[in-house]
Amino acid sequence: MAKAVDAAKLPDKLRVRPGARIVLREPAARATHGWRKADAERALERNRHELGALQYRMYAGGHHALLVVLQAMDTAGKDSTIRHVMTAFNPQGCTVHAFKAPNDLERQYDYLWRAHRCVPPRGSIAVFNRSHYEDVLVVRVSQLAPRAVWQRRYRHINEFERLLADCDTRVVKIFLHVSKAEQKRRLEERLEDPKKHWKWDAADLDKRRQWRDYMQAYQAVLTRCSTAHAPWYAVPADRKWFRNFAVSQILLNELRALAPKLPKVELDPDSYRIF
Amino acid sequence: MAKAVDAAKLPDKLRVRPGARIVLREPAARATHGWRKADAERALERNRHELGALQYRMYAGGHHALLVVLQAMDTAGKDSTIRHVMTAFNPQGCTVHAFKAPNDLERQYDYLWRAHRCVPPRGSIAVFNRSHYEDVLVVRVSQLAPRAVWQRRYRHINEFERLLADCDTRVVKIFLHVSKAEQKRRLEERLEDPKKHWKWDAADLDKRRQWRDYMQAYQAVLTRCSTAHAPWYAVPADRKWFRNFAVSQILLNELRALAPKLPKVELDPDSYRIF
């Protein structure tokens, strides 16, 4: 087995270079960059501790915000990633927003309206479990809008994220890349295990039938919307342990780069006596 | 007196051409484009009727939305214009949002967050009494943010308005151009008339002192942010009767261009008998 990529350098390997033309290949979904399960699990634990500490400072500092966008095909593990990684964060200061098909109210507005309402305030983290990217994914694949309509959305989205970035919100976008073969295994598991029946949705099979179209739509997203101000990361997700570790490492590097600091306070402890 | 410009052609004279370099001169604030007071007042009444009828169809159709942005120096008549012109609209379907200095909650987000929350839903009209443009006006003049921060906002704003325009919201921006001399008269009137004392705000004098800086800031706004998808109109506001008529005519032309239609309904009246 190849030597493991240094943990701190892993995010750089997974980040999509702005302008790079991305092709999603099945084998890439199984990559582990030389990591073994036991090491990755230990690293995840360490990362979770540091993530918690960084969030604490970010919350106290109240300057930066972090928006994490999670996108993936079904069974890739969006919910599972949130459970295993985002639990490192104090929920006071971290909110998860799940974006489903827009409701009656939301459909009265431009498609970014509901996303903008949910961006994190200063000091906080917001996780989008699915996001405004559905408006160039399911909308494109299922032809819910004409081509001319969704084509211009890449620009809207890039400019929306530029606004956020310019206003102290770091935008980090993570695509969990699962292979079609691995999805088959996971869907079969859901059918076999009664405790997983609640997750079963026959509509997932429709999307599985459109696999190639979805890969094309994701390729367009990664190619057109990974920017310096709001990068996309493509995370191999066939191995859950690698996926969790990789996501934790991405968030860790991103939060470290924000370098959140406790606010400077002019306080002379000697001037107070607690009665 | 020159022959009056045809009412329907007046908005075209007041619209700021995209890319045109705008200089605000005092005499322009008194322009009436050949109109006389009595004619303008009659035209306003006619326009108000048609505005109401167009809004009714827009509301029933539920397709388009209209966002009217009103900006001006103090005493130019933002409130008065709303009272004289926007009362043509049924308040069920027209909401006025007054943007003051951002509050504690709003300051936790990017400066467009609160504006985006208030954009009109399909079928409706929203009037912004002051707006996101304050973030390149008072913020610039009073140096509430560094130059590098407000400089990039022109792009944010243009792209935000492009999003709205692409999503069926017409954005119409109106600058009420009052001269410094006329402002003096109106401020003196406020001091003399006890019934107007509630409008008095000594802070208005600070802004009056910064008149040239404000004109520069407005010139930058008109020059950089009048686009095909979201035009600025500069309306002479020294004569209230002309200001009201001109604004009504701008809104009228804009709503006519949207050509709102009642929804097509398949209804055979003979198939029902009312019991």
Side-chain angles (χ1 to χ4, degrees):
Chain A
M1 183 177 278
K3 192 167 170 294
V5 169
D6 190 44
K9 286 178 180 158
L10 182 62
D12 198 52
K13 301 259 176 221
L14 306 178
R15 193 169 56 244
V16 177
R17 299 280 166 280
R21 203 175 163 69
I22 294 303
V23 181
L24 293 168
R25 298 184 205 283
E26 288 271 299
R30 299 197 71 75
T32 60
H33 292 269
W35 280 76
R36 291 179 314 165
K37 187 175 180 183
D39 293 333
E41 284 174 346
R42 268 193 301 272
L44 172 61
E45 263 327 292
R46 279 197 304 274
N47 286 354
R48 285 170 48 90
H49 282 286
E50 194 177 339
L51 284 171
L54 282 161
Q55 184 209 8
Y56 183 82
R57 296 212 291 276
M58 190 169 95
Y59 186 81
H63 183 65
H64 293 289
L66 175 68
L67 171 58
V68 182
V69 169
L70 269 184
Q71 284 286 162
M73 297 296 285
D74 298 309
T75 77
K78 293 186 297 294
D79 296 312
S80 177
T81 301
I82 292 170
R83 195 166 69 252
H84 285 96
V85 182
M86 312 307 183
T87 43
F89 297 130
N90 180 344
Q92 178 157 310
C94 178
T95 310
V96 179
H97 301 275
F99 289 92
K100 317 234 173 213
N103 63 28
D104 284 355
L105 175 72
E106 291 163 347
R107 274 187 285 111
Q108 301 310 307
Y109 297 90
D110 67 273
Y111 66 98
L112 289 180
W113 181 80
R114 62 175 183 159
H116 206 169
R117 284 170 67 103
C118 293
V119 299
R122 291 176 191 284
S124 292
I125 298 169
V127 180
F128 284 6
N129 184 348
R130 301 186 191 278
S131 68
H132 46 294
Y133 281 94
E134 290 296 333
D135 293 287
V136 286
L137 289 165
V138 63
V139 168
R140 172 177 172 159
V141 172
S142 295
Q143 305 181 323
L144 303 180
R147 182 183 177 84
V149 167
W150 55 255
Q151 271 289 359
R152 59 191 178 208
R153 291 182 174 172
Y154 300 102
R155 176 178 182 163
H156 299 156
I157 290 173
N158 284 340
E159 295 295 335
F160 168 57
E161 294 174 355
R162 177 193 304 280
L163 164 72
L164 298 179
D166 282 349
C167 299
D168 305 314
T169 296
R170 179 65 178 168
V171 183
V172 175
K173 301 171 293 192
I174 298 175
F175 169 60
L176 303 179
H177 183 202
V178 75
S179 67
K180 196 174 178 191
E182 177 66 17
Q183 192 195 51
K184 183 168 194 280
R185 271 189 292 277
R186 295 186 186 177
L187 286 173
E188 284 169 350
E189 226 173 88
R190 282 192 187 174
L191 286 176
E192 284 156 18
D193 183 351
K195 278 195 303 231
K196 293 187 173 174
H197 280 183
W198 72 275
K199 290 187 177 186
W200 182 259
D201 181 356
D204 292 354
L205 294 180
D206 298 331
K207 290 191 197 156
R208 182 170 169 79
R209 258 179 225 107
Q210 300 167 306
W211 191 272
R212 282 183 59 176
D213 292 342
Y214 269 105
M215 288 307 107
Q216 270 208 326
Y218 270 110
Q219 285 169 186
V221 160
L222 297 175
T223 299
R224 299 181 67 171
C225 297
S226 193
T227 57
H229 61 265
W232 267 107
Y233 292 88
V235 170
D238 274 11
R239 268 106 164 183
K240 298 173 181 175
W241 56 266
F242 182 77
R243 177 200 68 202
N244 293 342
F245 159 58
V247 170
S248 74
Q249 192 64 48
I250 290 165
L251 298 181
L252 188 55
N253 281 26
E254 290 283 356
L255 280 179
R256 279 176 181 165
L258 293 182
K261 285 177 191 61
L262 296 179
K264 285 211 173 164
V265 177
E266 294 287 331
L267 172 64
D268 173 14
D270 293 335
S271 69
Y272 292 95
R273 182 141 314 172
I274 311 301
F275 53 85
Chain B
M1 182 175 282
K3 192 167 169 294
V5 169
D6 190 44
K9 287 180 180 155
L10 180 63
D12 198 52
K13 301 256 176 227
L14 306 178
R15 194 170 53 247
V16 177
R17 299 281 166 278
R21 204 177 161 68
I22 294 302
V23 181
L24 293 168
R25 298 183 205 284
E26 290 270 300
R30 300 197 69 76
T32 60
H33 292 269
W35 280 76
R36 292 178 315 167
K37 185 174 182 186
D39 294 332
E41 285 175 346
R42 267 193 302 272
L44 172 62
E45 264 327 290
R46 279 197 304 275
N47 286 354
R48 286 170 47 91
H49 281 285
E50 194 177 340
L51 284 172
L54 282 162
Q55 184 209 10
Y56 183 82
R57 295 212 291 276
M58 190 169 93
Y59 186 80
H63 183 63
H64 293 290
L66 175 67
L67 171 58
V68 182
V69 169
L70 269 185
Q71 285 286 162
M73 296 298 284
D74 297 310
T75 75
K78 292 186 298 295
D79 295 313
S80 175
T81 301
I82 292 170
R83 196 166 69 251
H84 286 94
V85 182
M86 313 307 184
T87 43
F89 297 130
N90 181 344
Q92 176 156 313
C94 179
T95 309
V96 179
H97 301 274
F99 289 92
K100 316 236 171 207
N103 64 28
D104 284 352
L105 175 72
E106 291 163 348
R107 274 186 284 112
Q108 301 310 305
Y109 297 91
D110 66 273
Y111 66 98
L112 290 179
W113 181 80
R114 64 177 184 158
H116 206 169
R117 283 170 67 103
C118 294
V119 299
R122 292 177 189 284
S124 293
I125 298 168
V127 180
F128 284 5
N129 183 348
R130 302 187 192 275
S131 67
H132 46 292
Y133 281 95
E134 291 295 333
D135 293 287
V136 285
L137 290 165
V138 63
V139 168
R140 173 177 171 157
V141 172
S142 295
Q143 304 180 323
L144 305 180
R147 182 183 177 84
V149 166
W150 55 255
Q151 271 289 359
R152 59 192 179 207
R153 290 183 174 171
Y154 300 102
R155 175 177 182 163
H156 298 157
I157 290 172
N158 283 340
E159 294 294 334
F160 167 58
E161 293 174 355
R162 177 194 303 281
L163 164 72
L164 298 179
D166 282 347
C167 298
D168 306 312
T169 296
R170 178 66 177 166
V171 183
V172 175
K173 300 172 295 193
I174 298 174
F175 168 61
L176 303 178
H177 183 202
V178 74
S179 66
K180 196 175 179 190
E182 177 66 17
Q183 193 197 51
K184 181 167 195 282
R185 272 189 291 278
R186 293 186 186 177
L187 286 173
E188 285 169 349
E189 226 175 87
R190 282 192 187 174
L191 286 177
E192 286 157 17
D193 183 352
K195 278 195 306 231
K196 293 188 174 175
H197 281 184
W198 71 276
K199 289 185 178 189
W200 183 258
D201 180 356
D204 291 356
L205 294 181
D206 298 330
K207 290 193 198 154
R208 184 172 168 79
R209 258 178 226 109
Q210 299 167 307
W211 191 271
R212 282 182 61 175
D213 292 342
Y214 268 105
M215 288 306 109
Q216 269 209 326
Y218 269 110
Q219 284 169 185
V221 160
L222 298 175
T223 298
R224 300 181 66 170
C225 297
S226 192
T227 57
H229 61 266
W232 269 107
Y233 292 89
V235 170
D238 273 10
R239 268 104 164 185
K240 296 173 182 176
W241 55 266
F242 181 75
R243 176 200 69 201
N244 293 341
F245 158 59
V247 170
S248 75
Q249 192 64 46
I250 289 166
L251 297 181
L252 188 56
N253 281 26
E254 290 282 357
L255 280 178
R256 280 175 180 165
L258 293 182
K261 285 177 190 62
L262 296 179
K264 284 212 171 161
V265 176
E266 293 289 330
L267 172 64
D268 174 15
D270 293 335
S271 68
Y272 293 94
R273 180 139 318 168
I274 311 301
F275 52 85

